[in-house]
Amino acid sequence: MFIRAYLRASTSEQDANRAKSSLKKFVSGFSKRIASFYIENKSGNSLDRPELIRLLDESESGDVLLVESIDRLTRLSPDDWKTLVASINEKGISVVSLDLPTSHLTFGSFPSDDFMRSILSAINNMLLEILAASAYKEYRERERKQKEGIVKAQQKGLYHGRQPDLDAHDRIASFTEAGFSINKTAEAVGVSRSTVIRVRKKLKNLD
């Protein structure tokens, strides 16, 4: 069994590596370790995710796709989710998520009784579908509220596009002045490496 951890954040401003330590701690509780990490900054509402595709391509039957929460794996529409599930099932991969306790049985001991094993598997699949549907609903609701907010702001002449996180930029500047590396700065501020590099470049141009 190879455990392949998938870590996703929606934008380059967010740190997809954030969940690494919690995933490592989780599997260590079952005396297991993660074989590889697949990390990307892409929206969960799209199937066009290179690292997820690479994970599926490299997986073998019996491997585990590990995520921090189901919404890291999917915010897909029902049709796209069915497509992804079909690919996962075709490869014979098990999905384990920290927010889906029934999936943790993959690392434990399933009952030897065929009937009970089938019941637990059915319950896990049902809960997985519920969490996937909830993640999509949450995404659409957030999208709707965001659009409504933009419209209201435009009507008041207050919307000028996406604004930078000035607080994060100030913290990046402080850690840069203190001599922190790009990786250490990104970890301390909670942003991606690319964000640190971009802000440092702006700061350099201001000198």
Side-chain angles (χ1 to χ4, degrees), residues 30 32 102-113 117 120:
F30 295 93
K32 298 185 182 299
T102 51
S103 69
H104 303 177
L105 288 170
T106 298
F107 294 149
S109 299
F110 270 97
S112 57
D113 180 84
R117 188 162 57 245
L120 288 174

Side-chain angles (χ1 to χ4, degrees), residues 65-190:
L65 193 171
L66 176 67
V67 289
E68 180 187 23
S69 60
I70 294 301
D71 64 5
R72 296 303 86 198
L73 177 62
T74 176
R75 290 188 183 276
L76 297 167
S77 66
D79 287 342
D80 285 345
W81 170 240
K82 287 179 181 178
T83 299
L84 178 57
V85 169
S87 298
I88 291 172
N89 290 338
E90 183 179 355
K91 296 288 290 191
I93 304 168
S94 297
V95 175
V96 175
S97 177
L98 271 62
D99 66 345
L100 182 56
T102 51
S103 69
H104 303 177
L105 288 170
T106 298
F107 294 149
S109 299
F110 270 97
S112 57
D113 180 84
D114 289 341
F115 176 74
M116 286 304 301
R117 188 162 57 245
S118 297
I119 291 294
L120 288 174
S121 179
I123 292 173
N124 182 69
N125 290 338
M126 179 186 68
L127 293 175
L128 176 60
E129 292 294 328
I130 291 173
L131 289 176
S134 297
Y136 178 65
K137 180 182 179 182
E138 179 186 330
Y139 167 78
R140 293 303 302 271
E141 182 66 13
R142 187 170 61 190
E143 185 180 52
R144 180 185 66 78
K145 289 181 178 179
Q146 184 181 46
K147 288 180 179 178
E148 288 179 352
I150 290 174
V151 170
K152 290 179 181 179
Q154 286 175 331
Q155 291 172 345
K156 296 178 180 179
L158 301 175
Y159 181 73
H160 305 288
R162 184 179 177 184
Q163 301 300 309
D165 186 341
L166 297 181
D167 179 63
H169 288 196
D170 288 342
R171 293 176 65 200
I172 290 172
S174 297
F175 282 109
T176 299
E177 291 175 2
F180 278 59
S181 67
I182 291 174
N183 287 339
K184 289 295 184 182
T185 300
E187 182 179 349
V189 180

Side-chain angles (χ1 to χ4, degrees), residues 7-16 39-43 192:
L7 297 90
R8 181 191 65 78
S10 296
T11 70
S12 59
E13 297 288 336
Q14 299 171 325
D15 185 11
I39 304 165
E40 64 187 348
N41 289 83
K42 296 279 287 186
S43 173
S192 66

